[in-house]
Amino acid sequence: MAIEQSVETARLRATIRDLLALATIPEAWVGREPPVIATDLADLLMESLELNFAFVRLSDPTGSQVVEVTRGNSWKAFPQWLQQHLAVFGQISRKEIVTNVGGVEESCCGIVIPIGVNSERGLIAAASDRSDFPDPNDQQLLSVAANNAATAFQNAFLIKELRSAQEALRDHDQELRKAHDQLEIKVAERTSELRQNERELRQMLDFAPQLVSVYGPNRERLHINRIALDYLGLGLEEWRQTPERGAFVHPEDRARERDYFDRARSTGSGYELELRLRKDDGSYRWFLARSNPVRDDKEQIIRWYVACTDIHDRKTAEERLQQENAALREEINQAPMFEDIVGSSQPLQKVLAQVSKVALSDSTVLVLGETGTGKELIARAIHKRSRRADRAFIAVNCAAIPPSLIASELFGHEKGAFTAVDETWLKLPAKPKRPGTLSGTLVK
């Protein structure tokens, strides 16, 4: 009896030692490959439990990787039964002890322990010809070994996934760094290109023959080209800091310029007007100012671009021409017209009466008479008393026009081509006893 207790005590001590060994094995399996874990487990079971056969199957959580290791083959019927059972059912849902395979009682005994629900994480199968196999200690050792192996296999899978993720992250980080470097290079190139374009645009503005300025939505001074600064005799910052809005506009044109801009800001449309701008020497020149708005994506005005073209020479020529026309009209108005016609004969009085009558109408008047009878004086008298007296009187020498072309040249058609022509004919009395050529004067 004492001998049996001593054997049992030794047996328990060996079991405890094996349990402790199995408990420390997962630490040794950290970082190991799954096939190595399965092989170490099978060898450990064969040695510690004195097995004749050991089968280890381990599977990762996704089921994509399965590792199987077999050790020993003394009892051939048990591996065959296990293979057939897995082929038919594909899984083992609970622990099963196998003693009778194929109806033949054998001296060996086997046990199958699933890992996880329905052996989804694997299984352990063991067989031994020991008479007491599998006792509770054997079953406990096999269960602990199975769970530890599954945990180690899971850790190995997770570590492998982590390493793969870290490697992918490093590769991705390198790609990001490379993309970042390329992006910085492109940004630098694009920035350089933008700055070059900006310099070219500024040069184009500076060399433009116009005074070009850029304003904010409320007429804030932002930029002006070099030609305009030279004309005003100012620097850029000095121009920007000028407080008065129309400081460079002629005092007589400031109100008109302000009205134009206020109306354009309310309607959102561009405009143009003629005004005088002060030069650096204090003199003024005429310019045609064209102002155009620039809008953002929301149709809000963000800029006003103003281009001023020098029209001083044209404006001066127009003013000079107007003065000459006024002087000419004054001279013509002061020249004697009707008053130079002197006579009291019946035919002349009849002609003067006709002059007074046709002068108030819009009819075209043809004055006919021999050379020297005063046709131009009659024409001037008609013009003087018409509604067009304030316009210029232009005389045309009808003698230079062939008789056959007079109608078409003066009236724009051949005689008889139209039936609704409003024409009035005035025939002056011929001078007696004086040969001459019949001629005419047209008054329109």
Side-chain angles (χ1 to χ4, degrees):
M1 188 70 176
I3 296 175
E4 291 180 356
Q5 290 180 349
S6 130
V7 172
E8 183 64 21
T9 300
R11 176 73 174 166
L12 289 174
R13 288 178 178 176
T15 301
I16 294 173
R17 183 176 63 250
D18 292 339
L19 287 173
L20 293 174
L22 289 174
T24 58
I25 279 180
E27 296 181 0
W29 283 344
V30 174
R32 306 292 295 276
E33 293 295 328
V36 176
I37 297 175
T39 301
D40 289 348
L41 177 60
D43 293 340
L44 177 64
L45 294 176
M46 289 288 291
E47 180 180 356
S48 62
L49 300 181
E50 300 178 1
L51 300 178
N52 299 105
F53 171 80
F55 173 79
V56 176
R57 169 188 282 183
L58 298 177
S59 175
D60 61 40
T62 63
S64 60
Q65 184 178 12
V66 179
V67 178
E68 295 181 351
V69 176
T70 303
R71 289 289 186 269
N73 195 17
S74 60
W75 185 27
K76 296 182 179 181
F78 179 66
Q80 293 175 357
W81 173 87
L82 180 63
Q83 184 177 5
Q84 292 174 358
H85 186 86
L86 293 175
V88 174
F89 300 101
Q91 61 184 13
I92 296 178
S93 59
R94 58 185 177 85
K95 180 175 67 174
E96 186 172 351
I97 298 176
V98 181
T99 58
N100 187 352
V101 179
V104 179
E105 190 71 26
E106 297 283 352
S107 60
C108 289
C109 183
I111 185 174
V112 180
I113 299 177
I115 304 175
V117 180
N118 295 327
S119 64
E120 61 182 6
R121 298 175 62 184
L123 60 87
I124 291 179
S128 177
D129 57 2
R130 290 187 2 242
S131 59
D132 59 347
F133 183 83
D135 61 13
N137 294 333
D138 294 330
Q139 296 182 30
Q140 184 68 26
L141 287 173
L142 288 172
S143 297
V144 172
N147 290 330
N148 288 343
T151 301
F153 192 86
Q154 173 73 6
N155 292 337
F157 175 79
L158 294 177
I159 292 174
K160 182 179 180 181
E161 291 294 321
L162 179 61
R163 289 177 178 175
S164 299
Q166 290 176 345
E167 185 177 356
L169 185 61
R170 284 193 297 267
D171 295 340
H172 186 62
D173 183 64
Q174 292 179 356
E175 292 179 357
L176 285 178
R177 290 180 179 274
K178 184 178 180 180
H180 180 266
D181 295 339
Q182 293 178 351
L183 181 61
E184 285 187 345
I185 294 174
K186 290 182 179 180
V187 169
E189 292 176 351
R190 184 62 58 85
T191 302
S192 176
E193 181 180 352
L194 290 173
R195 290 177 178 175
Q196 179 64 25
N197 293 337
E198 183 179 357
R199 286 194 295 267
E200 292 178 355
L201 288 176
R202 288 184 179 273
Q203 290 177 356
M204 292 174 61
L205 287 177
D206 289 339
F207 292 131
Q210 298 170 315
L211 310 186
V212 181
S213 53
V214 183
Y215 299 89
N218 295 317
R219 208 67 173 183
E220 307 92 339
R221 291 188 176 93
L222 300 179
H223 186 71
I224 190 170
N225 66 345
R226 176 55 55 186
I227 296 295
L229 291 175
D230 293 341
Y231 178 85
L232 300 175
L234 300 174
L236 180 59
E237 290 301 324
E238 187 178 1
W239 174 77
R240 288 174 176 170
Q241 298 301 325
T242 302
E244 188 177 356
R245 173 174 162 181
F248 310 108
V249 180
H250 194 281
E252 297 178 0
D253 301 332
R254 291 177 185 175
R256 186 162 49 91
E257 190 273 338
R258 186 179 299 106
D259 292 341
Y260 268 74
F261 175 74
D262 292 340
R263 186 163 54 252
R265 183 169 55 180
S266 62
T267 60
S269 60
Y271 65 93
E272 64 178 35
L273 77 156
E274 296 178 353
L275 48 73
R276 288 162 288 183
L277 297 178
R278 188 184 66 209
K279 200 175 180 182
D280 56 347
D281 59 0
S283 61
Y284 287 89
R285 292 183 65 87
W286 280 98
F287 286 87
L288 175 63
R290 292 185 174 92
S291 184
N292 294 293
V294 177
R295 294 177 172 83
D296 57 11
D297 297 337
K298 299 180 181 179
E299 294 299 320
Q300 298 296 321
I301 296 178
I302 57 175
R303 293 288 186 274
W304 287 94
Y305 285 86
V306 181
C308 298
T309 305
D310 192 320
I311 59 171
H312 188 77
D313 295 339
R314 177 179 66 81
K315 196 72 173 179
T316 303
E318 290 178 354
E319 292 178 351
R320 184 170 57 251
L321 181 60
Q322 291 176 357
Q323 294 174 358
E324 292 176 355
N325 288 338
L328 180 59
R329 287 197 182 104
E330 184 178 357
E331 180 181 353
I332 293 174
N333 292 333
Q334 293 177 354
M337 296 274 184
F338 192 81
E339 292 78 3
D340 284 350
I341 302 175
V342 180
S344 57
S345 63
Q346 187 66 28
L348 181 59
Q349 293 299 323
K350 181 179 179 181
V351 170
L352 295 179
Q354 292 178 344
V355 168
S356 300
K357 184 177 180 180
V358 301
L360 300 178
S361 68
D362 293 331
S363 301
T364 300
V365 181
L366 179 62
V367 182
L368 296 176
E370 295 181 358
T371 302
T373 57
K375 296 183 295 298
E376 185 174 345
L377 289 177
I378 295 298
R380 287 182 180 274
I382 295 174
H383 176 75
K384 180 68 175 179
R385 281 153 181 77
S386 69
R387 289 191 293 268
R388 294 182 291 273
D390 58 339
R391 301 180 186 179
F393 176 85
I394 301 174
V396 178
N397 185 8
C398 296
I401 304 175
S404 62
L405 297 179
I406 287 180
S408 61
E409 289 292 334
L410 299 181
F411 297 100
H413 61 85
E414 293 290 342
K415 186 175 182 181
F418 300 95
T419 59
V421 178
D422 186 8
E423 300 175 358
T424 302
W425 297 79
L426 260 180
K427 187 172 182 182
L428 298 180
K431 296 174 66 176
K433 300 180 182 180
R434 186 174 182 178
T437 305
L438 180 65
S439 60
T441 298
L442 178 66
V443 183
K444 178 76 172 170

